[in-house]
């Protein structure tokens, strides 16, 4: 994901880059504090996302957004500003998001997850496909591979359960040493014949839950 930063404050540009450093899929391909350079840089680098300050000398971020929206390929725009009163004006020029300085990591992460839902690549036959992480109901370890189950089908990937859990902790909860489930889709935890099982909305069978995981699930409810 290629992004560009437009802000006349160097420290503000540095902060955005620092906050995005942990997002491996995001790459800063251009930055500037000069509004008159923006359109040239967009044409040159073709960013998919622009962080745009509203209050800048000579040309405001709102005016720049109007010009950007006239391009054939329009990048998403996230306004960053110290003035929350501009929010309504920002969305009037079709902004994708609005962040108030100083930007918080959690707010930035939440907005990016909404705008660019994370996807996992897999191969079906000779075709490369992607499934959004939020669509995955269950992930099960299968020898050296991981089997994913989602409403539209199944997929086999080489990413381990540990890697999935570490990358998407807000989505997955580990219910067994070989199984992750979608946290928000868990419906009921039951104890049958001395063992625990959980129902997952949209998944046709109950899933075995370890005693340790069952205890953690109970304590979190």
């Amino acid at each position: 994901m290629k992004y560009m930063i437009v802000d006349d404050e160097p420290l503000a540009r540095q902060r955005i880059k620092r906050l995005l450093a942990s997002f491996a899929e995001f790459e800063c391909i251009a930055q500037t504090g000069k509004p008159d350079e923006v359109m040239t840089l967009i044409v040159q680098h073709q960013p998919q996302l622009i962080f745009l300050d509203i209050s800048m000398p000579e040309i405001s971020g709102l005016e720049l957004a109007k010009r950007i929206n006239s391009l054939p390929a329009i990048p998403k725009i996230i306004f960053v500003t110290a003035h929350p009163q501009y929010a309504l004006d920002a969305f009037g020029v079709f902004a994708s998001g609005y962040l108030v300085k100083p930007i918080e990591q959690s707010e930035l992460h939440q907005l990016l997850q909404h705008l660019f839902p994370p996807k996992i690549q897999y191969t079906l036959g000779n075709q490369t496909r992607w499934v959004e992480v939020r669509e995955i109901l269950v992930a099960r370890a299968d020898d050296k591979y991981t089997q994913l189950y989602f409403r539209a089908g199944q997929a086999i990937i080489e990413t381990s359960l540990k890697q999935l859990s570490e990358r998407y902790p807000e989505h997955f909860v580990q219910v067994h040493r070989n199984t992750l489930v979608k946290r928000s889709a868990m419906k009921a935890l039951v104890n049958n014949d001395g063992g625990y099982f959980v129902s997952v909305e949209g998944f046709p069978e109950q899933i075995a839950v370890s005693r340790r995981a069952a205890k953690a699930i109970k304590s979190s409810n």
Side-chain angles (χ1 to χ4, degrees):
M1 184 67 59
K2 298 188 296 183
Y3 72 91
M4 174 177 164
I5 307 170
V6 182
D7 197 310
D8 62 320
E9 299 178 7
L11 290 178
R13 300 199 299 269
Q14 291 173 18
R15 179 171 177 79
I16 292 174
K17 289 187 66 176
R18 186 168 65 253
L19 292 176
L20 281 170
S22 59
F23 295 80
E25 66 272 30
F26 285 84
E27 176 191 4
C28 182
I29 46 81
Q31 60 176 304
T32 182
K34 300 177 180 179
D36 58 354
E37 294 181 346
V38 171
M39 300 306 290
T40 300
L41 289 172
I42 292 175
V43 172
Q44 181 179 352
H45 296 284
Q46 296 295 309
Q48 297 157 287
L49 171 65
I50 298 177
F51 290 92
L52 180 58
D53 186 22
I54 289 181
S55 299
M56 292 185 293
E58 299 178 12
I59 306 173
S60 74
L62 294 172
E63 178 58 36
L64 275 173
K66 293 177 184 178
R67 299 182 187 183
I68 293 169
N69 285 331
S70 68
L71 293 171
I74 304 174
K76 293 183 183 298
I77 296 173
I78 295 177
F79 280 112
V80 290
T81 180
H83 306 287
Q85 67 268 26
Y86 289 129
L88 187 60
D89 292 334
F91 289 108
V93 290
F94 306 106
S96 298
Y98 187 95
L99 294 170
V100 178
K101 298 177 181 178
I103 299 172
E104 297 295 330
Q105 176 84 56
S106 58
E107 294 177 353
L108 176 61
H109 181 266
Q110 185 177 12
L111 179 55
L112 292 177
Q113 290 274 9
H114 173 72
L115 294 178
F116 306 101
K119 298 179 181 181
I120 293 177
Q121 180 179 307
Y122 67 97
T123 302
L124 184 64
N126 59 356
Q127 294 183 333
T128 299
R129 298 188 178 186
W130 289 265
V131 57
E132 291 187 4
V133 172
R134 64 186 177 187
E135 298 296 327
I136 299 171
L137 301 173
V138 177
R140 280 180 170 155
D142 184 7
D143 195 16
K144 296 180 180 179
Y145 302 95
T146 296
Q147 183 87 34
L148 303 179
Y149 299 86
F150 41 96
R151 294 182 188 276
Q154 302 178 21
I156 295 176
I157 61 174
E158 295 184 0
T159 308
S160 69
L161 293 186
K162 181 180 180 182
Q163 290 171 320
L164 289 176
S165 183
E166 290 176 347
R167 292 176 188 174
Y168 313 108
E170 71 287 344
H171 180 82
F172 290 115
V173 59
Q174 186 148 12
V175 298
H176 199 277
R177 61 181 177 82
N178 65 352
T179 310
L180 303 176
V181 302
K182 182 178 180 179
R183 187 183 299 274
S184 62
M186 290 193 302
K187 300 298 291 182
L189 179 68
V190 297
N191 189 344
N192 292 334
D193 299 326
Y196 289 96
F197 295 84
V198 69
S199 298
V200 176
E201 184 178 1
F203 193 71
E205 61 188 68
Q206 288 189 323
I207 297 172
V209 179
S210 70
R211 291 185 179 276
R212 175 184 292 182
K215 183 177 180 181
I217 291 170
K218 287 179 181 179
S219 64
S220 64
N221 293 332

